[in-house]
Amino acid sequence: MPSDPYSGPASGALLSCLGFPSWGGLHLVVPSRGQPPALARRLELCQRDDGAVGGQLLPALLRRHRDLEPLDPARWPWAGESAMAWPRAWGHRYLLICRWGSATPLRIAAWRRQGEGQGQQGGWARLCGPVPLSSFGERFLAPRDGQEMTRATPSPTTIRAMAPTAQ
């Protein structure tokens, strides 16, 4: 059993992207590496290496990570009768929102699948959000270059992002 508290029972995920210019709502299947640290790394690479900011993030994400596949509308699990309509391969789900004119145009929310068994339906537990994308990266990415960071002490950016007035 993994020791990472953010890992779910499966490595796949669903990433729903809304508000991006010239794109309708787009739901992407992340077939592997769908845990929060892996998704945060994918998004960080697009921003850092491709210079993707704001509405440019979605096209950069699709160019860089070709394993992401659009979800066929006929397979949308929320159109099903119960939580069991969600594929077991999806251990996480995310909502990435682009809000033009906002001080923080990119915001993300994350959920983790709860355990199934002992009569539970396997619902979703919120991990975060919606928070600015930078706060998501600060929370889930490991520190670099010997920097020490603990989850017990969030950064000032994270604190501001989670305040009720910031939403």
Side-chain angles (χ1 to χ4, degrees):
M1 189 66 140
S3 62
D4 180 4
Y6 300 108
S7 66
S11 65
L14 178 69
L15 173 62
S16 297
C17 305
L18 302 175
F20 286 86
S22 302
W23 295 83
L26 183 61
H27 306 282
L28 300 170
V29 175
V30 183
S32 64
R33 298 174 295 144
Q35 294 89 351
L39 182 66
R41 176 70 59 218
R42 287 177 185 242
L43 296 169
E44 179 197 45
L45 287 173
C46 291
Q47 290 182 308
R48 188 187 69 215
D49 295 348
D50 299 342
V53 294
Q56 301 167 346
L57 181 64
L58 182 56
L61 185 67
L62 293 170
R63 273 192 310 273
R64 177 177 278 273
H65 301 286
R66 298 193 183 261
D67 63 328
L68 303 177
E69 298 179 19
L71 180 62
D72 180 2
R75 298 192 53 216
W76 287 352
W78 49 91
E81 294 291 322
S82 70
M84 299 310 288
W86 290 83
R88 290 184 187 266
W90 297 348
H92 292 85
R93 66 180 216 201
Y94 305 93
L95 175 61
L96 180 61
I97 301 168
C98 181
R99 298 181 347 174
W100 286 98
S102 171
T104 53
L106 295 171
R107 298 177 70 78
I108 190 167
W111 294 264
R112 175 182 42 89
R113 184 186 292 277
Q114 293 179 331
E116 297 176 16
Q118 301 174 353
Q120 292 181 346
Q121 291 291 326
W124 296 94
R126 184 184 292 267
L127 290 177
C128 73
V131 296
L133 192 56
S134 60
S135 297
F136 181 77
E138 287 174 8
R139 177 174 178 181
F140 293 108
L141 288 176
R144 289 195 178 141
D145 302 328
Q147 297 173 343
E148 187 173 327
M149 199 166 137
T150 66
R151 289 196 179 140
T153 308
S155 73
T157 305
T158 302
I159 293 170
R160 281 192 303 275
M162 297 191 79
T165 57
Q167 297 180 16

